[in-house]
Amino acid sequence: MKTGNDSPITPEVVAQHGLSPDEYQRLLDVLGRLPTFVELGVFSVMWSEHCSYKSSRIHLGRLPTKGPRVLIGPGENAGVVDLGDGYAACFKMESHNHPSYIEPYQGAATGVGGILRDVFTMGARPVALMDSLRFGRPEHPKTRALVRGVVAGIAGYGNCMGIPTVAGETRFDRSYDGNCLVNAFCCGVVPSDRIFLGTTGSPGNKVFYVGAGTGRDGIHGATMASTEFGEGSEEKRPTVQVGDPFQEKLLLEACLELMQGDAIVGIQDMGAAGLTSSSVEMAGRGGRGLLLRLDQVPMRETGMVPYELLLSESQERMLIVIEPGRESEVFAVFQKWDLSVAEIGEVTDDGVWRCTWHGEEVAAIPVAVLTDAAPKYDRPQQAPAPLPALPAIVDADPAARLPTLLADPDISDKQWIWRQYDHQVGTDTVIRPGADAAMVRIKGTAKHLAFVTDSNGRQVYLDPFVGTAGQVAECARNLACVGATPIGLSDCMNFGNPQKPEIMWQFSRSVDGMAEACRALDVPVISGNVSLYNETDGVAILPTPGLAMVGLYEGATPTVSAQFTEGLEVALLGQPGRGWLAGSVYARHFGFDRHGAPPPVDYATERALHDALRRLIAPGAAGAAIAVAHDLSEGGLLLALAECCMGGVGGAFDVANDAGALYGEDHGRALIAYAPQDRERVHALLEGVPSRVLGQTGGDALVVAGRSFAVTELRAVWERAFPAWLDGGTESP
Amino acid sequence: MRARVFVTLKQGVHDPAGKAVQGGLVSMGYEEVQAVRIGKVFDIELADGGPEAVVRSRLDEMCKKLLANMVIESFRVELL
Amino acid sequence: MRARVFVTLKQGVHDPAGKAVQGGLVSMGYEEVQAVRIGKVFDIELADGGPEAVVRSRLDEMCKKLLANMVIESFRVELL
Amino acid sequence: MSAALRSRVAVLTFPGSNCDADLRHAVALFGMEPVAVWHKESTLPNVDAVLLPGGFSYGDYLRCGAIARFSPIMAEVVRFAGRGAPVLGICNGFQILTECGLVPGVLLRNKALRFTCRDVNLRVQGQTTPFTRGLGGAALRLPVAHAEGNWFADAESLARIEGEGQVIFRYEGENPNGAIHDIAGVSNAAGNVVGLMPHPERYVEAALGGTDGCGVFRSLAAAIGGSAHTAATLEAGA
Ligand SMILES: Nc1ncnc2c1ncn2[C@@H]1O[C@H](COP(=O)(O)OP(=O)(O)O)[C@@H](O)[C@H]1O
Ligand SMILES: [Mg+2]
């Protein structure tokens, strides 16, 4: 029988496996002998950046991961946070950047598939998806096709699975021309006493393979995701993983059905580096060894060899460990759902991960050698040269820029995207895409989960510490604007090549900024993912920590909206702001997008504002005190006002025609609107948070800074920009 | 002038739809069906395009640029 | 044993995808493309199924029942 | 009314169905008892109506609904419908009903070739069905969420269907998918089997953004309230 172990290992072969000469020497040292070819493949994926976090591990330890609600922090497939009354939320965000650049539809689709599996592996039924997307310049020849493909891929997978995609974000920048970012987030709900872990239990337990058969998909996907792109990488690409959301829907239902009983000891999805990393991770967590009989693995193609079976990234597969004697339960459930199911091995007591092929041993490596002994680097860091300050901007009539900014690719309406996502399936979505945060109720309870994803690579680039802290604050502010309290954060750290000291510095500073803000705002980081080497031909992406924050709201479904209705009084909450233009959308429109420092965060102000918003939104005996809440972020006060007018009702507001006042992006501020008779109640609930009445809603014009804009025209500009760019403006979104 | 273009998944690329159809046929009693792979056929009406070599090379371009996803699909052109 | 089945839209049935592809090709500069219609091709692997007439008639059934929607599509079977 | 007296409504689950739980939730809200039925069953339990939910049966591979229509339960559904009992297919359920010929027409890809999730305006018309009692002429706002909802039939069938009052729901204003004659939902000739693309089960609670789906479920509850099954149970209970 051909095992794939007969190929010689030359320095070229080692290099092709993404191991540096030093790393190969380390491998020889810890293994104490030459690896077989199969084992080399196993090391190449287990020691890849993607699986081992070798460049990032030491930094991630600085994040706050504990809190009174945290049931499971980083280290499992997804983190879990207690919601009370026997419920818990399980969530994680993950990147699928490199595969999506190569094949946007399948790359994005399988990204969604992967994050869904991470969540239902834990026993949670997924209730919401989000997507955080970055693309190159709109005018770059590849951008349109990437947007179309990625969005269709996310839709294709999430819609078929019947999980609503309720929020997301889409930004464009030249730094993403050669590396788009596709970060997918999933949250599920699980009974807090029925959480499943990826572990092994005792020796003698049986290892089952369930789901789709294994083919030659994505072999070396994990190592691909860990190297820089360069000229020609589009040609050399390996077999693309093709997603099958239908199989995954069956896998979801079958797993949750089997989880009703107590047959399962441990369960782990096969993601990057497939069978290898899932089995090694389980053995590592269980502190055991594992024997896999690779010839028993269900195969989709003929002639597959152990090397391929171990490295394949075929989708929609899981490993399950059960106690002996429970086999028939597993077979019954998976056969009911027409899925492959096979017993492929068992848990052993010697701490060694072994694979056999028709009785012949093809790999035998101590688990600790693959996991704990993996290289960890404290890579050199170097702060880059200081950036130029933001020059003075001469602009006689800043307010006149509003329509231009509304048509900006980052600001314009993204209905074209989210209408392709089924955001209502499940009949729990009470706040849909387009709001500050989305909200999904949990049927049969008063609990609601709120979701937001936010990241501003431009501000992080200007100052990774402050920029990242600002993003955490903004996420929490968005949740407060729908009345929710943050309970956890998942992050996806998208950066360039960590072997460059300036990139490593960005990474480390960004982690520290996140850590500080999360501590200050009481938001534990419960899961996340790191995607490095997002560079093409030496050009790195903007440092982009993708953040996904989850909030909890309890009570009657909130009635707050982000759209004005007639006859409301509008106030600006928080400090008036210093007119902070560096890092703003406005400054970018003058070409100053790599200038100055981003706005600082004042945590005390921020917390007081969020608490006040939650008090204002909670439906008291007389209903909520306010009708509208909307946070100030990109585009500052004027963009926030304009967005509140998109429902068709305008208003007249007292703001000076001054760029800083109109477009400054200072943190810690939000707009509210309420019926004038509620003014006193609102004031009492503010408990000292500064507020300034800006004016009244009503009419069909936005009157501000000495100008009047017809709301229908603003809306047309805002709504049409994105579809016009994609489709030539021939179709409605 | 007419052309027919076949676009099929490259060997080894997973075809979930083909697999579902195969499963469907078997469960309907057509147990002899061992595998199904699904491709696309484009029937293309062309204005008279000069010499065959030019027509072919333009069709080839269209396939590479639009009709086929060269990452996972291959194509074949027939002039009718 | 292998068979190939072509399923194409009947004349008169609107083909929005074909029309979009045609429009796309024209806007990419392939102005000679006057019409595109998209069909499906199934490559079917069969266990040895006895006499050709039987194989054919079973394939015919599969098409009528599942592979084609006879309201809008027609089909053609080739044995390879 | 005690549980034993409630009318029973089967909600089918095909592999890939994903609105089955939503539909059971809605059915229960209107006082009926939802009964989950797996597609591999070859008999229907004792029920008063059968609902086919939305989703992506068999991944919507090949054509939506094409493979699901051969599920064992469908032969029973055809017999059930043949007895004049109420059958409703929503979205993917509608697609399955057209594939097995219980309602006329086919559902092609949306004109824009994209999945679309949006609210649409509808007008209820045609013959009275168990799902539209008292709704004749009503204007409804309901969500759609589909990639293949572009209803089509050849000219002759179309004329017949229009003539017989089998068009039950029609888009008003924006047509989200290019359906011919703005047709959003149709019935069989007898009027007991109805298929529609919009999702009434998504708009039965104000918190979800609308309540225009309530009429469909109220109508069903009223229609089967006096059915043989419930009548029998009532007598037995009395
Ligand atoms: N940036 C991060 N912040 C917090 N936790 C992280 C981060 N990156 C990775 N983790 C945690 O490390 C573990 C491994 O992550 P990953 O390899 O992405 O999971 P998987 O193998 O399921 O794809 C997970 O528990 C994840 O939550
Ligand atoms: Mg995982």
Side-chain angles (χ1 to χ4, degrees):
Chain A
M1 255 317 142
K2 199 171 148 46
T3 61
N5 253 349
D6 27 28
S7 317
I9 297 175
T10 61
E12 292 73 48
V13 169
V14 171
Q16 278 161 13
H17 280 78
L19 291 169
S20 71
D22 285 352
E23 286 171 343
Y24 186 61
Q25 188 55 49
R26 182 186 179 89
L27 183 167
L28 295 177
D29 293 346
V30 294
L31 192 60
R33 60 174 167 84
L34 285 174
T36 64
F37 192 79
V38 170
E39 289 170 339
L40 179 68
V42 167
F43 274 101
S44 82
V45 293
M46 288 310 297
W47 285 14
S48 71
E49 191 66 60
H50 193 83
C51 292
S52 74
Y53 289 85
K54 58 191 170 194
S55 303
S56 58
R57 180 71 79 199
I58 64 154
H59 300 285
L60 297 177
R62 300 198 296 273
L63 293 170
T65 58
K66 299 201 162 52
R69 289 186 181 274
V70 178
L71 299 179
I72 294 180
E76 279 291 337
N77 288 302
V80 184
V81 183
D82 192 19
L83 302 175
D85 305 317
Y87 292 87
C90 170
F91 56 89
K92 179 166 181 204
M93 171 133 93
E94 197 159 80
S95 63
H96 229 217
N97 304 336
H98 298 74
S100 301
Y101 185 77
I102 286 169
E103 211 313 278
Y105 185 98
Q106 293 298 342
T110 53
V112 171
I115 195 63
L116 282 162
R117 280 196 302 284
D118 273 333
V119 166
F120 70 78
T121 306
M122 310 279 302
R125 180 171 282 279
V127 299
L129 289 165
M130 294 197 281
D131 61 322
S132 166
L133 310 178
R134 294 290 179 287
F135 300 102
R137 283 164 295 151
E139 58 275 19
H140 187 280
K142 290 199 76 156
T143 305
R144 273 193 189 84
L146 284 169
V147 172
R148 287 200 189 99
V150 163
V151 170
I154 292 169
Y157 213 102
N159 294 350
C160 184
M161 287 293 291
I163 314 302
T165 302
V166 296
E169 54 168 343
T170 315
R171 298 283 181 277
F172 300 84
D173 185 89
R174 60 184 182 277
S175 74
Y176 307 109
D177 280 354
N179 291 81
C180 62
L181 302 185
V182 176
N183 294 176
F185 164 94
C186 178
C187 179
V189 172
V190 57
S192 45
D193 58 352
R194 302 286 299 162
I195 299 165
F196 288 81
L197 302 178
T199 189
T200 56
S202 318
N205 283 346
K206 305 287 186 190
V207 179
F208 270 75
Y209 170 117
V210 301
T214 298
R216 292 192 175 87
D217 319 53
I219 290 179
H220 272 177
T223 36
M224 166 179 77
S226 305
T227 41
E228 225 179 279
F229 277 0
E231 202 70 50
S233 63
E234 277 163 67
E235 280 67 51
K236 307 192 285 250
R237 49 202 160 202
T239 324
V240 168
Q241 310 153 24
V242 171
D244 183 351
F246 170 58
Q247 283 283 315
E248 179 130 316
K249 170 69 174 163
L250 303 185
L251 190 60
L252 161 74
E253 298 301 340
C255 286
L256 294 182
E257 191 169 315
L258 186 61
M259 285 164 171
Q260 299 291 310
D262 57 0
I264 298 176
V265 172
I267 175 166
Q268 168 80 30
D269 73 296
M270 294 190 219
L275 189 52
T276 295
S277 100
S278 56
S279 59
V280 170
E281 278 175 32
M282 282 183 108
R285 294 197 196 101
R288 301 294 178 182
L290 215 61
L291 168 67
L292 299 180
R293 295 185 197 91
L294 297 175
D295 46 285
Q296 298 299 308
V297 170
M299 292 171 225
R300 213 182 60 218
E301 291 180 62
T302 52
M304 293 193 70
V305 295
Y307 182 90
E308 295 169 318
L309 288 166
L310 284 169
L311 300 195
S312 162
E313 296 194 347
S314 287
Q315 302 289 300
E316 295 94 22
R317 305 177 298 162
M318 292 271 193
L319 273 189
I320 296 183
V321 175
I322 61 159
E323 277 173 18
R326 312 301 293 265
E327 292 86 345
S328 60
E329 292 166 55
V330 182
F331 280 111
V333 170
F334 285 88
Q335 282 166 356
K336 168 186 166 189
W337 289 94
D338 294 323
L339 292 161
S340 302
V341 43
E343 185 184 326
I344 63 162
E346 60 228 10
V347 178
T348 59
D349 60 2
D350 62 357
V352 177
W353 179 84
R354 281 174 214 283
C355 298
T356 62
W357 179 246
H358 297 284
E360 185 187 335
E361 189 167 275
V362 293
I365 311 174
V367 173
V369 162
L370 289 170
T371 55
D372 304 343
K376 278 184 205 62
Y377 298 123
D378 186 357
R379 298 197 188 271
Q381 300 176 29
Q382 165 79 57
L387 296 167
L390 178 65
I393 295 173
V394 182
D395 185 2
D397 187 1
R401 255 168 222 284
L402 176 60
T404 319
L405 294 184
L406 281 172
D408 179 276
D410 284 6
I411 304 280
S412 61
D413 181 28
K414 301 299 184 304
Q415 273 188 66
W416 187 93
I417 294 177
W418 54 258
R419 292 228 175 269
Q420 293 186 57
Y421 304 151
D422 189 340
H423 47 268
Q424 291 170 306
V425 61
T427 56
D428 286 321
T429 309
V430 297
I431 302 183
R432 303 182 198 182
D436 281 328
M439 191 177 276
V440 170
R441 66 175 180 181
I442 302 178
K443 279 193 187 87
T445 74
K447 298 178 196 300
H448 299 67
L449 292 169
F451 302 102
V452 65
T453 171
D454 241 310
S455 38
N456 185 329
R458 293 197 182 89
Q459 295 194 353
V460 176
Y461 177 82
L462 298 180
D463 183 333
F465 186 101
V466 176
T468 306
Q471 293 328 291
V472 173
E474 186 181 333
C475 283
R477 199 155 66 230
N478 279 315
L479 294 178
C481 281
V482 296
T485 308
I487 54 171
L489 179 84
S490 190
D491 66 291
C492 216
M493 303 291 276
N494 309 279
F495 286 74
N497 180 349
Q499 300 181 38
K500 297 183 181 166
E502 296 179 1
I503 301 287
M504 208 56 232
W505 177 85
Q506 287 178 336
F507 183 86
S508 172
R509 293 295 293 161
S510 178
V511 166
D512 286 334
M514 191 188 328
E516 183 190 83
C518 284
R519 283 205 175 84
L521 299 172
D522 281 335
V523 188
V525 179
I526 65 152
S527 58
N529 173 249
V530 176
S531 169
L532 300 174
Y533 296 98
N534 291 289
E535 297 205 11
T536 296
D537 299 328
V539 180
I541 58 162
L542 291 172
T544 314
L547 305 183
M549 203 181 282
V550 178
L552 175 64
Y553 170 92
E554 301 205 56
T557 301
T559 51
V560 70
S561 122
Q563 306 286 289
F564 289 149
T565 48
E566 294 279 343
L568 303 176
E569 183 166 284
V570 176
L572 174 62
L573 298 190
Q575 300 294 342
R578 286 183 259 175
W580 201 284
L581 287 176
S584 70
V585 174
Y586 178 79
R588 172 160 55 81
H589 272 249
F590 290 87
F592 302 131
D593 59 340
R594 308 289 201 258
H595 299 69
V601 193
D602 179 316
Y603 300 114
T605 315
E606 200 71 59
R607 285 188 73 126
L609 171 75
H610 304 177
D611 288 340
L613 284 164
R614 284 187 282 268
R615 287 191 297 273
L616 292 166
I617 290 167
I626 59 174
V628 174
H630 184 31
D631 92 307
L632 266 59
S633 58
E634 278 169 295
L637 176 56
L638 186 53
L639 264 290
L641 283 169
E643 283 162 4
C644 289
C645 294
M646 292 305 172
V649 174
F653 307 104
D654 174 22
V655 186
N657 194 359
D658 165 83
L662 292 170
Y663 301 116
E665 297 189 7
D666 306 73
H667 289 292
R669 302 180 300 160
L671 282 178
I672 56 167
Y674 44 86
Q677 66 268 23
D678 287 326
R679 187 180 303 134
E680 271 174 42
R681 194 149 66 101
V682 167
H683 254 271
L685 289 167
L686 283 177
E687 291 182 13
V689 168
S691 75
R692 177 165 87 85
V693 173
L694 296 178
Q696 258 67 43
T697 67
D700 50 13
L702 169 61
V703 180
V704 67
R707 289 188 151 263
S708 176
F709 302 95
V711 166
T712 49
E713 278 168 35
L714 292 180
R715 182 176 169 145
V717 166
W718 177 70
E719 269 185 356
R720 283 187 200 143
F722 195 74
W725 166 66
L726 273 170
D727 292 338
T730 51
E731 284 164 32
S732 64
Chain B
M1 184 165 210
R2 300 187 55 219
R4 169 164 274 198
V5 171
F6 296 86
V7 174
T8 46
L9 285 172
K10 285 184 184 165
Q11 244 201 331
V13 174
H14 187 32
D15 179 9
K19 190 162 176 282
V21 168
Q22 186 253 349
L25 288 171
V26 168
S27 71
M28 287 161 66
Y30 299 103
E31 275 142 26
E32 68 266 40
V33 178
Q34 305 192 305
V36 175
R37 287 180 72 81
I38 307 182
K40 287 179 226 146
V41 205
F42 297 84
D43 283 311
I44 306 181
E45 204 75 60
L46 296 160
D48 231 327
E52 189 181 312
V54 174
V55 173
R56 266 194 188 280
S57 97
R58 284 178 70 86
L59 281 165
D60 226 67
E61 276 175 36
M62 294 181 212
C63 288
K64 288 187 180 148
K65 287 195 196 158
L66 185 70
L67 303 184
N69 175 348
M70 298 302 292
V71 179
I72 49 174
E73 294 172 328
S74 50
F75 66 90
R76 192 161 55 77
V77 174
E78 275 178 15
L79 288 184
L80 308 178
Chain C
M1 185 167 209
R2 300 185 55 218
R4 171 163 272 196
V5 170
F6 296 88
V7 173
T8 45
L9 283 173
K10 286 184 182 163
Q11 250 197 332
V13 177
H14 187 51
D15 178 12
K19 193 141 190 306
V21 167
Q22 187 255 348
L25 288 171
V26 167
S27 73
M28 287 161 68
Y30 300 103
E31 275 142 25
E32 68 267 40
V33 178
Q34 305 191 304
V36 175
R37 289 183 68 83
I38 307 182
K40 290 178 214 144
V41 45
F42 300 83
D43 283 312
I44 305 182
E45 204 76 58
L46 295 161
D48 232 326
E52 190 182 310
V54 174
V55 174
R56 266 194 188 282
S57 97
R58 285 178 69 88
L59 281 164
D60 226 69
E61 274 176 36
M62 294 181 212
C63 289
K64 287 187 182 147
K65 285 196 194 162
L66 182 68
L67 302 183
N69 179 340
M70 300 303 293
V71 180
I72 47 169
E73 294 170 327
S74 51
F75 66 91
R76 191 160 57 75
V77 175
E78 275 178 16
L79 288 184
L80 307 178
Chain D
M1 221 199 304
S2 83
L5 303 182
R6 288 197 294 169
S7 357
R8 287 160 51 88
V9 176
V11 176
L12 307 188
T13 298
F14 298 92
S17 293
N18 64 30
C19 301
D20 44 344
D22 303 358
L23 205 43
R24 292 197 301 265
H25 174 75
V27 164
L29 283 180
F30 291 88
M32 299 171 277
E33 182 187 344
V35 182
V37 177
W38 178 236
H39 78 119
K40 283 182 188 167
E41 300 293 332
S42 50
T43 55
L44 276 171
N46 183 16
V47 292
D48 306 295
V50 171
L51 309 186
L52 288 77
F56 288 70
S57 59
Y58 291 94
D60 276 359
Y61 298 137
L62 187 61
R63 293 181 313 276
C64 306
I67 304 178
R69 122 191 212 193
F70 291 101
S71 283
I73 196 65
M74 284 310 294
E76 270 293 284
V77 173
V78 170
R79 269 193 292 278
F80 185 79
R83 295 203 300 265
V87 174
L88 177 70
I90 298 170
C91 199
N92 195 233
F94 183 15
Q95 293 160 340
I96 297 171
L97 291 180
T98 62
E99 280 285 340
C100 64
L102 278 179
V103 295
V106 292
L107 292 150
L108 306 176
R109 281 181 79 182
N110 294 353
K111 200 163 136 254
L113 305 175
R114 289 193 295 268
F115 189 97
T116 191
C117 182
R118 60 175 63 248
D119 285 3
V120 295
N121 291 313
L122 299 169
R123 183 70 64 179
V124 183
Q125 47 196 222
Q127 60 183 332
T128 298
T129 75
F131 308 97
T132 52
R133 282 187 176 192
L135 290 178
L140 304 180
R141 187 166 177 80
L142 290 179
V144 293
H146 60 248
E148 305 187 33
N150 181 349
W151 191 89
F152 175 84
D154 62 48
E156 193 188 317
S157 328
L158 183 59
R160 192 184 61 245
I161 292 156
E162 289 279 14
E164 300 296 320
Q166 287 177 246
V167 175
I168 310 298
F169 298 96
R170 212 186 290 272
Y171 302 112
E172 269 197 343
E174 197 180 7
N175 172 337
N177 49 37
I180 194 163
H181 284 203
D182 298 324
I183 289 172
V186 295
S187 70
N188 64 348
N192 63 310
V193 184
V194 174
L196 81 165
M197 287 316 296
H199 287 271
E201 81 280 13
R202 292 190 181 185
Y203 272 180
V204 291
E205 293 169 88
L208 299 177
T211 53
D212 279 6
C214 295
V216 170
F217 293 93
R218 280 205 195 98
S219 163
L220 175 62
I224 62 181
S227 77
H229 162 75
T230 311
T233 337
L234 271 170
E235 276 165 22

